[in-house]
């Protein structure tokens, strides 16, 4: 009888120890889950802060560009969008049809525009947060006597050559020579053919407005967010 009682006690002690172990493991898992949720929340807040910071930066830069150029836009045939694209849309001032050399009118505009533009984006407020300044060349989808696919390829070559001509002209300006190193690292030429046409109110392409040149600023918000994600990954065991 005593042996049976001892066996019962041993079994009870065994189950108590197992239940204690399970409870301990559960607490460990709960702690891990809490730590994970805290890390996720911190990551979310850090990314949110970056987004807010760069949204404010973009808004301020847009306002500074408008203040600087508002009196020039109409005569240049230009406009500024809140997404930081500076668009020259009067095709008759830019290039002769099918040609890649800048027209004298466009050269004069750029000689006035670009040093002032650079003075703003190279200011202490912005220069460390800008990853790229893109010169984008756009065309209409038309090319006489060619199929749509042939026209697209020919217009791609045309738009790329035009942006290279624009880039070469800007780099040769004496007024920005002291910024040559920064420009070579950040200023790019991108021909986009007719991939982003301008549409009229009826949804049809506006051939004239589609033939344009744009300057577009890209901030390093994406790379900053990627850095945050990398840091979180490296800190996670």
């Amino acid at each position: 009888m005593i042996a049976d009682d001892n066996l019962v006690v041993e079994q009870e002690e065994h189950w108590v120890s197992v239940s204690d172990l399970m409870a301990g493991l559960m607490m460990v898992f709960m702690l891990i889950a809490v730590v994970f949720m805290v890390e996720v929340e911190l990551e979310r807040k850090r990314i949110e802060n970056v987004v807010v910071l760069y949204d404010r930066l973009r808004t301020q830069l847009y306002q500074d560009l408008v203040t600087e150029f508002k009196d020039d836009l109409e005569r240049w045939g230009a406009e500024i969008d809140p997404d930081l694209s500076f668009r020259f849309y009067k095709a008759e001032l830019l290039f002769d049809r099918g040609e890649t050399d800048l027209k004298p009118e466009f050269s004069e505009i750029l000689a006035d525009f670009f040093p002032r533009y650079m003075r703003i984006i190279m200011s202490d407020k912005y220069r460390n947060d800008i990853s790229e300044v893109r010169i984008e060349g756009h065309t209409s989808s038309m090319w006489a006597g060619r199929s749509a696919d042939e026209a697209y390829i020919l217009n791609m070559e045309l738009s790329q050559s035009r942006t290279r001509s624009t880039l070469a002209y800007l780099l040769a300006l004496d007024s920005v020579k002291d910024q040559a190193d920064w420009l070579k690292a950040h200023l790019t030429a991108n021909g986009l053919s007719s991939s982003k046409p301008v549409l009229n109110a009826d949804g049809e392409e506006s051939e004239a407005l589609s033939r344009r040149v744009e300057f577009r600023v890209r901030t390093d918000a994406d790379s900053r967010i990627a850095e945050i994600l990398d840091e979180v990954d490296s800190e996670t065991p």
Side-chain angles (χ1 to χ4, degrees):
M1 192 66 166
I2 294 175
D4 291 341
D5 290 342
N6 289 338
L7 179 61
V8 170
V9 170
E10 289 177 358
Q11 289 176 338
E12 288 177 349
E13 291 177 347
H14 170 74
W15 287 112
V16 168
S17 62
V18 170
S19 63
D20 288 344
L21 176 61
M22 294 300 294
L25 288 174
M26 184 176 296
M27 291 297 296
V28 171
F29 289 139
M30 288 179 63
L31 179 60
I32 292 173
V34 169
V35 170
F36 176 76
M37 287 188 291
V38 169
E39 289 181 346
V40 169
E41 180 62 16
L42 289 174
E43 174 189 336
R44 186 190 65 80
K45 287 184 177 180
R46 290 173 68 188
I47 292 174
E48 185 179 271
N49 288 339
V50 170
V51 171
V52 170
L53 173 65
Y54 280 93
D55 185 62
R56 290 175 180 170
L57 179 143
R58 183 172 61 248
T59 300
Q60 185 60 58
L61 179 52
Y62 168 72
Q63 292 172 348
D64 286 351
L65 290 172
V66 170
T67 299
E68 175 68 26
F69 294 109
K70 60 185 178 181
D71 295 331
D72 304 298
L73 297 177
E74 184 175 354
R75 65 187 177 86
W76 286 352
E79 60 187 8
I80 309 171
D81 280 353
D83 67 357
L84 302 183
S85 59
F86 200 115
R87 183 176 302 110
F88 295 95
Y89 60 83
K90 280 192 177 178
E92 65 272 18
L93 298 179
L94 308 179
F95 302 92
D96 286 324
R97 199 175 186 92
E99 298 298 324
T100 62
D101 292 333
L102 281 65
K103 295 186 73 170
E105 297 92 334
F106 193 34
S107 296
E108 292 178 7
I109 290 171
L110 290 176
D112 185 7
F113 155 75
F114 195 64
R116 295 160 60 190
Y117 182 72
M118 288 300 301
R119 186 168 62 249
I120 293 174
I121 66 175
M122 289 283 289
S123 66
D124 291 340
K125 285 194 294 184
Y126 305 121
R127 64 179 298 157
N128 293 328
D129 296 304
I130 292 174
S131 61
E132 183 183 13
V133 179
R134 297 167 59 97
I135 306 170
E136 294 184 352
H138 300 265
T139 69
S140 70
S141 60
M142 302 296 108
W143 195 290
R146 300 287 186 165
S147 68
D149 288 345
E150 290 174 327
Y152 181 80
I153 295 301
L154 290 169
N155 279 318
M156 180 65 73
E157 295 173 355
L158 179 64
S159 62
Q160 288 176 336
S161 295
R162 285 176 170 177
T163 56
R164 285 197 297 268
S165 295
T166 302
L167 176 62
Y169 177 79
L170 295 175
L171 290 177
L173 290 173
D174 289 336
S175 53
V176 296
K177 285 293 187 183
D178 59 339
Q179 300 160 354
D181 290 340
W182 191 93
L183 289 173
K184 290 175 183 177
H186 295 83
L187 186 62
T188 62
N190 305 270
L192 298 177
S193 187
S194 57
S195 60
K196 297 182 179 180
V198 176
L199 305 180
N200 294 318
D202 59 4
E204 296 295 320
E205 178 186 353
S206 169
E207 291 186 40
L209 294 178
S210 292
R211 297 193 293 270
R212 65 198 189 276
V213 173
E214 297 185 10
F215 287 75
R216 188 179 296 272
V217 171
R218 294 183 60 205
T219 67
D220 65 351
D222 290 342
S223 62
R224 290 286 295 276
I225 291 173
E227 287 175 5
I228 291 172
L229 295 177
D230 287 342
E231 288 174 8
V232 171
D233 289 341
S234 65
E235 293 169 1
T236 302

